[in-house]
Amino acid sequence: MNDRMLTASELVAAYATGELSPIEATQNALQAIEARDGECNAYCLVDADRALEQAKASEIRWRDGNPIGWLDGVPASIKDMFLTQGWPTVRGSKSIDPDQPWDVDSPVAARMREAGLVLLGKTTTPEIAWKGVTDSPLCGITRNPADPSKTAGGSSGGSAAAVAAGMGELSVGTDGGGSVRIPASFCGVVGLKPTHGRIPLYPASPFGPLSHAGPMARSVDDTALLLDVLSLPDHRDPAALAPPVASFREAVRRDVRGLIAAFSPTLGYVDVDPEVAAIVAAAVRALGDAGLHIEETDPGFADPKPAFDILWSSGAAKLLDTFPPGSEARTDPGLRKVWELGRKRTASDYLDATAERAALGIRMGEFHTRYDVLITPTVPIAAFEAGHDVPPGSGLSEWPEWTPFTYPFNMTQQPAISVPAGRTTTGLPVGLQIVGPRHSDDLVLAVAKLLEEVRPWASA
């Protein structure tokens, strides 16, 4: 992280003293977009005029001593999977007509506006957010600010790249199989997938129980602040959880020393790049030295990829079947294969996968009666060459094959966060994942905060 890039918390503190204004912060973010986004391709839409109007309104509130909240006037972005009033939501697809009324805000967009955040624009996504990297026939390739020859990860790669490059302090992504945590790891930012239902969603995702929204930021404090905003209720999501009983902004400072953490370097079945493994192990040792009790153990489940594939492809096919005739020819070739596979799934297949998902959740629930959190690498590799769905020369054929640490916890609906753990010798960020029992978003954030304190942005 560059010293010149302030966190959202630092920006708000500067607003309060008058050292900086929301207009200046927004202009700085827009200048960063102008300077860096030609290379990174993090944004598919930027609305400078509208952003500056929001910043002016925020500046008046701060001047009058009436800010809306802890993030009033902070520049932010939103992934192009969320309905956003006044802006098209085309989800990285050539098959969605941008020329239609866009007069509805998703819960995420609505809560961000209500909290006074300055929305700069919408970030790139692969078509319907289907894979672990960010490129699409519509928007092209999104690249990693740490090394533009490498992928930013995905599917919230635009959001991660924007935050990492200072093109806005905050962003919100979606995560159906790791899509917030994968790019957070690759780009060196914080990305949280909270407990399922913690952030209301509308319209309902065809990926159903796998689907989450998640905040992305350059610090754990900022992630908690944004979660406070996004967790507010919305009647349009019947599966949403009740409002939190306490502020995540306060809970992040909980003392977690003395708690028991299970460290699983491989989940018992994952091949991890040796350099990534060493970086994560060093970060875990630092947590142990800080007072977290570490036990190296695996949670004891087999790779649930077959069940995940059924749930994922079924959801993709359901959504894509609503696209207009002729869409197959315009669709990402890899997604087209998933579409074809999903069409072959039966209700029995889906119910079997759902039963396996439930069994996995029960197993992890029992595991967390003995361990407060589970720690793993976020991704077993560092970022690879941009423009590829899988690492070139790896022999892999599908994105979940190189993301085995993330999708299991979409299936269990547990909170999981990726926090920067260090960098490779070539300067690529590596993330550490912290997983907690369902409804323990506060605990996961607090452990992440401890790591950030003992290894502050680990050479970032």
Side-chain angles (χ1 to χ4, degrees):
M1 188 175 79
N2 191 308
D3 289 340
R4 293 190 299 275
M5 291 197 292
L6 301 178
T7 66
S9 303
E10 291 166 339
L11 276 185
V12 170
Y15 297 164
T17 62
E19 296 175 52
L20 193 66
S21 78
I23 292 176
E24 291 172 309
T26 300
Q27 289 171 334
N28 289 341
L30 291 169
Q31 288 169 5
I33 293 170
E34 180 69 24
R36 299 213 60 186
D37 203 41
E39 184 174 58
C40 295
N41 189 31
Y43 281 88
C44 58
L45 181 153
V46 177
D47 192 337
D49 291 341
R50 195 172 179 184
L52 287 169
E53 287 176 5
Q54 296 170 67
K56 289 174 185 176
S58 175
E59 185 169 85
I60 292 170
R61 292 192 294 271
W62 279 103
R63 185 191 64 199
D64 294 344
N66 296 309
I68 296 174
W70 294 95
L71 293 175
D72 194 345
V74 173
S77 58
I78 186 169
K79 185 179 180 180
D80 191 32
M81 291 294 291
F82 298 103
L83 292 177
T84 312
Q85 186 273 327
W87 293 339
T89 301
V90 296
R91 295 177 283 189
S93 177
K94 290 184 175 181
S95 296
I96 297 175
D97 182 8
D99 188 19
Q100 56 179 294
W102 299 101
D103 52 9
V104 174
D105 265 338
S106 61
V108 164
R111 300 296 88 78
M112 293 175 81
R113 291 192 206 280
E114 291 163 5
L117 285 142
V118 174
L119 295 183
L120 301 165
K122 306 196 80 172
T123 58
T124 52
T125 176
E127 193 166 8
I128 72 162
W130 79 275
K131 60 183 176 180
V133 296
T134 301
D135 59 58
S136 71
L138 179 67
C139 295
I141 298 170
T142 297
R143 298 176 180 275
N144 195 320
D147 179 349
S149 73
K150 308 297 185 185
T151 179
S155 63
S156 304
S159 288
V163 171
M167 297 184 284
E169 276 60 46
L170 303 170
S171 194
V172 184
T174 61
D175 191 316
S179 289
V180 161
R181 291 158 289 153
I182 295 163
S185 179
F186 279 4
C187 292
V189 299
V190 179
L192 171 68
K193 179 192 76 66
T195 302
H196 188 265
R198 180 72 281 152
I199 298 175
L201 297 175
Y202 173 85
S205 170
F207 296 110
L210 301 176
S211 298
H212 302 65
M216 308 180 78
R218 291 196 295 272
S219 76
V220 176
D221 281 334
D222 287 0
T223 306
L225 282 167
L226 187 51
L227 186 60
D228 274 334
V229 169
L230 302 176
S231 294
L232 295 175
D234 193 293
H235 69 274
R236 294 172 292 174
D237 185 351
L241 300 176
V245 297
S247 166
F248 294 111
R249 175 177 61 87
E250 298 295 337
V252 75
R253 304 195 179 282
R254 168 182 173 182
D255 186 3
V256 296
R257 291 170 173 83
L259 296 184
I260 302 173
F263 173 42
S264 179
T266 69
L267 289 180
Y269 55 81
V270 179
D271 290 329
V272 181
D273 175 85
E275 190 174 15
V276 170
I279 290 168
V280 172
V284 171
R285 286 194 297 273
L287 283 170
D289 292 342
L292 204 64
H293 293 310
I294 308 292
E295 294 184 19
E296 187 168 324
T297 187
D298 299 324
F301 58 77
D303 189 351
K305 181 179 178 296
F308 174 81
D309 286 343
I310 292 170
L311 298 170
W312 191 252
S313 62
S314 298
K318 178 65 176 176
L319 175 56
L320 292 164
D321 281 345
T322 68
F323 279 21
S327 294
E328 289 91 340
R330 296 187 293 269
T331 298
D332 183 319
L335 178 57
R336 197 158 56 234
K337 294 178 183 178
V338 174
W339 190 354
E340 294 166 357
L341 183 62
R343 283 172 163 167
K344 298 174 184 177
R345 305 298 192 188
T346 66
S348 181
D349 292 335
Y350 190 87
L351 290 173
D352 286 345
T354 299
E356 185 169 338
R357 183 184 70 78
L360 183 59
I362 292 168
R363 176 178 284 274
M364 285 306 302
E366 190 279 330
F367 182 80
H368 284 294
T369 65
R370 292 174 282 125
Y371 299 99
D372 295 293
V373 294
L374 169 67
I375 299 174
T376 74
T378 305
V379 189
I381 54 176
F384 52 88
E385 287 76 10
H388 301 270
D389 289 356
V390 300
S394 66
L396 305 178
S397 59
E398 302 171 342
W399 70 266
E401 293 175 315
W402 57 266
T403 62
F405 289 111
T406 54
Y407 60 76
F409 306 109
N410 290 80
M411 298 175 72
T412 62
Q413 304 185 336
Q414 297 171 248
I417 192 169
S418 180
V419 189
R423 289 181 181 259
T424 67
T425 54
T426 58
L428 294 175
V430 170
L432 174 150
Q433 179 175 237
I434 302 161
V435 183
R438 292 180 72 240
H439 311 295
S440 68
D441 307 85
D442 55 343
L443 172 61
V444 164
L445 283 162
V447 177
K449 178 65 176 177
L450 178 62
L451 177 61
E452 188 179 62
E453 288 175 346
V454 298
R455 287 173 66 84
W457 293 98
S459 76

mmCIF file of all heavy atoms in Angstrom, residues 376-409:
data_model
loop_
_atom_site.group_PDB
_atom_site.id
_atom_site.type_symbol
_atom_site.label_atom_id
_atom_site.label_comp_id
_atom_site.label_asym_id
_atom_site.label_seq_id
_atom_site.Cartn_x
_atom_site.Cartn_y
_atom_site.Cartn_z
ATOM 1 N N THR A 376 -6.441 -20.652 6.597
ATOM 2 C CA THR A 376 -5.872 -21.322 5.423
ATOM 3 C C THR A 376 -5.233 -20.261 4.522
ATOM 4 O O THR A 376 -5.457 -19.062 4.719
ATOM 5 C CB THR A 376 -6.956 -22.047 4.592
ATOM 6 O OG1 THR A 376 -7.742 -21.071 3.868
ATOM 7 C CG2 THR A 376 -7.872 -22.905 5.455
ATOM 8 N N PRO A 377 -4.468 -20.670 3.530
ATOM 9 C CA PRO A 377 -4.185 -19.727 2.447
ATOM 10 C C PRO A 377 -5.516 -19.331 1.796
ATOM 11 O O PRO A 377 -6.488 -20.093 1.846
ATOM 12 C CB PRO A 377 -3.317 -20.533 1.474
ATOM 13 C CG PRO A 377 -2.775 -21.678 2.292
ATOM 14 C CD PRO A 377 -3.831 -21.997 3.305
ATOM 15 N N THR A 378 -5.576 -18.157 1.197
ATOM 16 C CA THR A 378 -6.785 -17.797 0.443
ATOM 17 C C THR A 378 -6.802 -18.509 -0.893
ATOM 18 O O THR A 378 -7.819 -19.084 -1.299
ATOM 19 C CB THR A 378 -6.865 -16.282 0.232
ATOM 20 O OG1 THR A 378 -6.778 -15.611 1.493
ATOM 21 C CG2 THR A 378 -8.169 -15.909 -0.441
ATOM 22 N N VAL A 379 -5.685 -18.457 -1.595
ATOM 23 C CA VAL A 379 -5.514 -19.109 -2.895
ATOM 24 C C VAL A 379 -4.172 -19.826 -2.844
ATOM 25 O O VAL A 379 -3.219 -19.302 -2.270
ATOM 26 C CB VAL A 379 -5.531 -18.091 -4.055
ATOM 27 C CG1 VAL A 379 -5.568 -18.791 -5.407
ATOM 28 C CG2 VAL A 379 -6.739 -17.144 -3.941
ATOM 29 N N PRO A 380 -4.054 -21.018 -3.421
ATOM 30 C CA PRO A 380 -2.797 -21.762 -3.308
ATOM 31 C C PRO A 380 -1.674 -21.250 -4.197
ATOM 32 O O PRO A 380 -0.568 -21.782 -4.147
ATOM 33 C CB PRO A 380 -3.202 -23.179 -3.697
ATOM 34 C CG PRO A 380 -4.382 -23.021 -4.579
ATOM 35 C CD PRO A 380 -5.118 -21.818 -4.056
ATOM 36 N N ILE A 381 -1.953 -20.221 -4.989
ATOM 37 C CA ILE A 381 -0.964 -19.669 -5.908
ATOM 38 C C ILE A 381 -1.035 -18.153 -5.850
ATOM 39 O O ILE A 381 -2.003 -17.585 -5.338
ATOM 40 C CB ILE A 381 -1.209 -20.127 -7.364
ATOM 41 C CG1 ILE A 381 -2.651 -19.795 -7.782
ATOM 42 C CG2 ILE A 381 -0.912 -21.612 -7.528
ATOM 43 C CD1 ILE A 381 -2.968 -20.106 -9.233
ATOM 44 N N ALA A 382 -0.015 -17.484 -6.372
ATOM 45 C CA ALA A 382 -0.086 -16.041 -6.591
ATOM 46 C C ALA A 382 -0.696 -15.784 -7.967
ATOM 47 O O ALA A 382 -0.940 -16.717 -8.747
ATOM 48 C CB ALA A 382 1.312 -15.428 -6.484
ATOM 49 N N ALA A 383 -0.941 -14.536 -8.265
ATOM 50 C CA ALA A 383 -1.578 -14.175 -9.524
ATOM 51 C C ALA A 383 -0.767 -14.676 -10.717
ATOM 52 O O ALA A 383 0.462 -14.619 -10.721
ATOM 53 C CB ALA A 383 -1.748 -12.668 -9.605
ATOM 54 N N PHE A 384 -1.486 -15.179 -11.714
ATOM 55 C CA PHE A 384 -0.848 -15.692 -12.931
ATOM 56 C C PHE A 384 -1.153 -14.767 -14.109
ATOM 57 O O PHE A 384 -1.791 -13.719 -13.955
ATOM 58 C CB PHE A 384 -1.296 -17.128 -13.210
ATOM 59 C CG PHE A 384 -2.797 -17.322 -13.220
ATOM 60 C CD1 PHE A 384 -3.534 -17.148 -14.385
ATOM 61 C CD2 PHE A 384 -3.478 -17.700 -12.069
ATOM 62 C CE1 PHE A 384 -4.897 -17.319 -14.411
ATOM 63 C CE2 PHE A 384 -4.848 -17.886 -12.063
ATOM 64 C CZ PHE A 384 -5.572 -17.691 -13.242
ATOM 65 N N GLU A 385 -0.690 -15.143 -15.294
ATOM 66 C CA GLU A 385 -0.792 -14.281 -16.470
ATOM 67 C C GLU A 385 -2.248 -13.917 -16.767
ATOM 68 O O GLU A 385 -3.128 -14.774 -16.762
ATOM 69 C CB GLU A 385 -0.175 -14.960 -17.692
ATOM 70 C CG GLU A 385 1.342 -15.022 -17.665
ATOM 71 C CD GLU A 385 1.893 -16.084 -16.730
ATOM 72 O OE1 GLU A 385 1.091 -16.912 -16.231
ATOM 73 O OE2 GLU A 385 3.119 -16.096 -16.494
ATOM 74 N N ALA A 386 -2.461 -12.641 -17.034
ATOM 75 C CA ALA A 386 -3.803 -12.156 -17.348
ATOM 76 C C ALA A 386 -4.273 -12.722 -18.685
ATOM 77 O O ALA A 386 -3.472 -13.020 -19.575
ATOM 78 C CB ALA A 386 -3.810 -10.637 -17.392
ATOM 79 N N GLY A 387 -5.591 -12.845 -18.816
ATOM 80 C CA GLY A 387 -6.183 -13.319 -20.057
ATOM 81 C C GLY A 387 -6.397 -14.810 -20.115
ATOM 82 O O GLY A 387 -6.775 -15.336 -21.167
ATOM 83 N N HIS A 388 -6.172 -15.515 -19.013
ATOM 84 C CA HIS A 388 -6.347 -16.963 -18.949
ATOM 85 C C HIS A 388 -7.292 -17.315 -17.807
ATOM 86 O O HIS A 388 -7.250 -16.712 -16.740
ATOM 87 C CB HIS A 388 -5.004 -17.671 -18.736
ATOM 88 C CG HIS A 388 -3.992 -17.396 -19.808
ATOM 89 N ND1 HIS A 388 -3.878 -18.162 -20.943
ATOM 90 C CD2 HIS A 388 -3.056 -16.411 -19.914
ATOM 91 C CE1 HIS A 388 -2.910 -17.672 -21.704
ATOM 92 N NE2 HIS A 388 -2.391 -16.621 -21.106
ATOM 93 N N ASP A 389 -8.118 -18.332 -18.029
ATOM 94 C CA ASP A 389 -9.026 -18.787 -16.978
ATOM 95 C C ASP A 389 -8.317 -19.642 -15.938
ATOM 96 O O ASP A 389 -8.774 -19.738 -14.784
ATOM 97 C CB ASP A 389 -10.187 -19.596 -17.572
ATOM 98 C CG ASP A 389 -11.164 -18.725 -18.335
ATOM 99 O OD1 ASP A 389 -10.998 -17.485 -18.351
ATOM 100 O OD2 ASP A 389 -12.125 -19.277 -18.932
ATOM 101 N N VAL A 390 -7.236 -20.299 -16.347
ATOM 102 C CA VAL A 390 -6.433 -21.127 -15.444
ATOM 103 C C VAL A 390 -4.967 -20.783 -15.681
ATOM 104 O O VAL A 390 -4.614 -20.252 -16.738
ATOM 105 C CB VAL A 390 -6.679 -22.637 -15.677
ATOM 106 C CG1 VAL A 390 -8.144 -22.991 -15.440
ATOM 107 C CG2 VAL A 390 -6.245 -23.059 -17.078
ATOM 108 N N PRO A 391 -4.095 -21.062 -14.729
ATOM 109 C CA PRO A 391 -2.677 -20.761 -14.937
ATOM 110 C C PRO A 391 -2.125 -21.478 -16.166
ATOM 111 O O PRO A 391 -2.287 -22.704 -16.293
ATOM 112 C CB PRO A 391 -2.019 -21.281 -13.655
ATOM 113 C CG PRO A 391 -3.106 -21.275 -12.632
ATOM 114 C CD PRO A 391 -4.357 -21.605 -13.382
ATOM 115 N N PRO A 392 -1.514 -20.758 -17.085
ATOM 116 C CA PRO A 392 -0.956 -21.407 -18.276
ATOM 117 C C PRO A 392 0.052 -22.491 -17.908
ATOM 118 O O PRO A 392 0.876 -22.319 -17.007
ATOM 119 C CB PRO A 392 -0.272 -20.245 -19.012
ATOM 120 C CG PRO A 392 -0.985 -19.020 -18.546
ATOM 121 C CD PRO A 392 -1.351 -19.295 -17.119
ATOM 122 N N GLY A 393 -0.039 -23.627 -18.592
ATOM 123 C CA GLY A 393 0.877 -24.732 -18.353
ATOM 124 C C GLY A 393 0.560 -25.560 -17.130
ATOM 125 O O GLY A 393 1.286 -26.505 -16.810
ATOM 126 N N SER A 394 -0.530 -25.244 -16.442
ATOM 127 C CA SER A 394 -0.864 -25.966 -15.202
ATOM 128 C C SER A 394 -1.522 -27.309 -15.458
ATOM 129 O O SER A 394 -1.582 -28.161 -14.565
ATOM 130 C CB SER A 394 -1.795 -25.109 -14.340
ATOM 131 O OG SER A 394 -3.051 -24.933 -14.990
ATOM 132 N N GLY A 395 -2.072 -27.475 -16.657
ATOM 133 C CA GLY A 395 -2.825 -28.695 -16.938
ATOM 134 C C GLY A 395 -4.245 -28.653 -16.399
ATOM 135 O O GLY A 395 -4.998 -29.630 -16.564
ATOM 136 N N LEU A 396 -4.642 -27.551 -15.756
ATOM 137 C CA LEU A 396 -5.995 -27.413 -15.228
ATOM 138 C C LEU A 396 -6.937 -26.949 -16.329
ATOM 139 O O LEU A 396 -6.514 -26.336 -17.321
ATOM 140 C CB LEU A 396 -6.012 -26.420 -14.068
ATOM 141 C CG LEU A 396 -5.058 -26.707 -12.908
ATOM 142 C CD1 LEU A 396 -5.152 -25.611 -11.850
ATOM 143 C CD2 LEU A 396 -5.347 -28.078 -12.292
ATOM 144 N N SER A 397 -8.213 -27.207 -16.146
ATOM 145 C CA SER A 397 -9.176 -26.824 -17.175
ATOM 146 C C SER A 397 -10.306 -25.938 -16.662
ATOM 147 O O SER A 397 -10.997 -25.308 -17.465
ATOM 148 C CB SER A 397 -9.790 -28.085 -17.812
ATOM 149 O OG SER A 397 -10.446 -28.878 -16.835
ATOM 150 N N GLU A 398 -10.509 -25.867 -15.341
ATOM 151 C CA GLU A 398 -11.624 -25.105 -14.785
ATOM 152 C C GLU A 398 -11.139 -24.228 -13.633
ATOM 153 O O GLU A 398 -10.266 -24.639 -12.851
ATOM 154 C CB GLU A 398 -12.711 -26.043 -14.258
ATOM 155 C CG GLU A 398 -13.280 -26.988 -15.300
ATOM 156 C CD GLU A 398 -14.189 -28.021 -14.671
ATOM 157 O OE1 GLU A 398 -14.108 -28.229 -13.438
ATOM 158 O OE2 GLU A 398 -14.994 -28.614 -15.391
ATOM 159 N N TRP A 399 -11.748 -23.036 -13.491
ATOM 160 C CA TRP A 399 -11.274 -22.113 -12.451
ATOM 161 C C TRP A 399 -11.401 -22.685 -11.035
ATOM 162 O O TRP A 399 -10.518 -22.409 -10.212
ATOM 163 C CB TRP A 399 -11.963 -20.749 -12.570
ATOM 164 C CG TRP A 399 -13.427 -20.723 -12.219
ATOM 165 C CD1 TRP A 399 -14.470 -20.855 -13.079
ATOM 166 C CD2 TRP A 399 -13.994 -20.563 -10.922
ATOM 167 N NE1 TRP A 399 -15.659 -20.790 -12.400
ATOM 168 C CE2 TRP A 399 -15.396 -20.608 -11.069
ATOM 169 C CE3 TRP A 399 -13.460 -20.379 -9.639
ATOM 170 C CZ2 TRP A 399 -16.280 -20.486 -9.994
ATOM 171 C CZ3 TRP A 399 -14.332 -20.258 -8.559
ATOM 172 C CH2 TRP A 399 -15.717 -20.306 -8.739
ATOM 173 N N PRO A 400 -12.442 -23.469 -10.682
ATOM 174 C CA PRO A 400 -12.467 -23.965 -9.293
ATOM 175 C C PRO A 400 -11.297 -24.887 -8.943
ATOM 176 O O PRO A 400 -11.001 -25.087 -7.760
ATOM 177 C CB PRO A 400 -13.805 -24.721 -9.216
ATOM 178 C CG PRO A 400 -14.659 -24.115 -10.283
ATOM 179 C CD PRO A 400 -13.694 -23.823 -11.392
ATOM 180 N N GLU A 401 -10.614 -25.414 -9.956
ATOM 181 C CA GLU A 401 -9.486 -26.297 -9.667
ATOM 182 C C GLU A 401 -8.331 -25.556 -9.017
ATOM 183 O O GLU A 401 -7.539 -26.173 -8.303
ATOM 184 C CB GLU A 401 -9.021 -26.976 -10.962
ATOM 185 C CG GLU A 401 -10.039 -27.950 -11.538
ATOM 186 C CD GLU A 401 -9.604 -28.520 -12.876
ATOM 187 O OE1 GLU A 401 -9.134 -27.736 -13.736
ATOM 188 O OE2 GLU A 401 -9.726 -29.747 -13.064
ATOM 189 N N TRP A 402 -8.225 -24.242 -9.252
ATOM 190 C CA TRP A 402 -7.132 -23.495 -8.605
ATOM 191 C C TRP A 402 -7.648 -22.590 -7.478
ATOM 192 O O TRP A 402 -6.892 -21.787 -6.932
ATOM 193 C CB TRP A 402 -6.309 -22.689 -9.617
ATOM 194 C CG TRP A 402 -7.055 -21.700 -10.469
ATOM 195 C CD1 TRP A 402 -7.566 -21.894 -11.719
ATOM 196 C CD2 TRP A 402 -7.349 -20.326 -10.129
ATOM 197 N NE1 TRP A 402 -8.175 -20.743 -12.176
ATOM 198 C CE2 TRP A 402 -8.042 -19.777 -11.221
ATOM 199 C CE3 TRP A 402 -7.075 -19.527 -9.021
ATOM 200 C CZ2 TRP A 402 -8.496 -18.447 -11.248
ATOM 201 C CZ3 TRP A 402 -7.529 -18.205 -9.023
ATOM 202 C CH2 TRP A 402 -8.220 -17.686 -10.134
ATOM 203 N N THR A 403 -8.917 -22.750 -7.082
ATOM 204 C CA THR A 403 -9.458 -21.961 -5.968
ATOM 205 C C THR A 403 -10.061 -22.865 -4.888
ATOM 206 O O THR A 403 -11.149 -22.581 -4.378
ATOM 207 C CB THR A 403 -10.537 -20.982 -6.465
ATOM 208 O OG1 THR A 403 -11.637 -21.728 -7.026
ATOM 209 C CG2 THR A 403 -9.979 -20.045 -7.518
ATOM 210 N N PRO A 404 -9.387 -23.944 -4.498
ATOM 211 C CA PRO A 404 -10.024 -24.938 -3.622
ATOM 212 C C PRO A 404 -10.231 -24.489 -2.180
ATOM 213 O O PRO A 404 -10.961 -25.152 -1.432
ATOM 214 C CB PRO A 404 -9.045 -26.112 -3.681
ATOM 215 C CG PRO A 404 -7.716 -25.487 -3.974
ATOM 216 C CD PRO A 404 -8.019 -24.353 -4.899
ATOM 217 N N PHE A 405 -9.616 -23.364 -1.781
ATOM 218 C CA PHE A 405 -9.782 -22.897 -0.405
ATOM 219 C C PHE A 405 -11.022 -22.022 -0.220
ATOM 220 O O PHE A 405 -11.413 -21.757 0.920
ATOM 221 C CB PHE A 405 -8.561 -22.094 0.048
ATOM 222 C CG PHE A 405 -7.324 -22.913 0.279
ATOM 223 C CD1 PHE A 405 -6.229 -22.796 -0.555
ATOM 224 C CD2 PHE A 405 -7.255 -23.801 1.352
ATOM 225 C CE1 PHE A 405 -5.070 -23.543 -0.340
ATOM 226 C CE2 PHE A 405 -6.106 -24.556 1.573
ATOM 227 C CZ PHE A 405 -5.021 -24.430 0.729
ATOM 228 N N THR A 406 -11.614 -21.547 -1.305
ATOM 229 C CA THR A 406 -12.678 -20.551 -1.155
ATOM 230 C C THR A 406 -14.078 -21.125 -1.289
ATOM 231 O O THR A 406 -14.939 -20.884 -0.436
ATOM 232 C CB THR A 406 -12.488 -19.397 -2.155
ATOM 233 O OG1 THR A 406 -12.377 -19.916 -3.485
ATOM 234 C CG2 THR A 406 -11.235 -18.597 -1.812
ATOM 235 N N TYR A 407 -14.356 -21.897 -2.358
ATOM 236 C CA TYR A 407 -15.751 -22.291 -2.596
ATOM 237 C C TYR A 407 -16.357 -23.186 -1.521
ATOM 238 O O TYR A 407 -17.592 -23.151 -1.321
ATOM 239 C CB TYR A 407 -15.928 -22.915 -3.987
ATOM 240 C CG TYR A 407 -15.124 -24.147 -4.267
ATOM 241 C CD1 TYR A 407 -15.469 -25.387 -3.748
ATOM 242 C CD2 TYR A 407 -14.000 -24.083 -5.099
ATOM 243 C CE1 TYR A 407 -14.725 -26.523 -4.011
ATOM 244 C CE2 TYR A 407 -13.250 -25.202 -5.375
ATOM 245 C CZ TYR A 407 -13.621 -26.423 -4.831
ATOM 246 O OH TYR A 407 -12.875 -27.548 -5.106
ATOM 247 N N PRO A 408 -15.577 -23.995 -0.764
ATOM 248 C CA PRO A 408 -16.239 -24.785 0.284
ATOM 249 C C PRO A 408 -17.012 -23.923 1.279
ATOM 250 O O PRO A 408 -18.057 -24.341 1.802
ATOM 251 C CB PRO A 408 -15.077 -25.512 0.967
ATOM 252 C CG PRO A 408 -14.037 -25.635 -0.098
ATOM 253 C CD PRO A 408 -14.139 -24.354 -0.860
ATOM 254 N N PHE A 409 -16.546 -22.702 1.512
ATOM 255 C CA PHE A 409 -17.152 -21.874 2.547
ATOM 256 C C PHE A 409 -18.275 -20.994 2.007
ATOM 257 O O PHE A 409 -18.975 -20.342 2.783
ATOM 258 C CB PHE A 409 -16.056 -21.101 3.277
ATOM 259 C CG PHE A 409 -15.001 -22.038 3.795
ATOM 260 C CD1 PHE A 409 -13.728 -22.083 3.242
ATOM 261 C CD2 PHE A 409 -15.326 -22.965 4.791
ATOM 262 C CE1 PHE A 409 -12.779 -22.988 3.686
ATOM 263 C CE2 PHE A 409 -14.385 -23.878 5.243
ATOM 264 C CZ PHE A 409 -13.112 -23.901 4.686
#
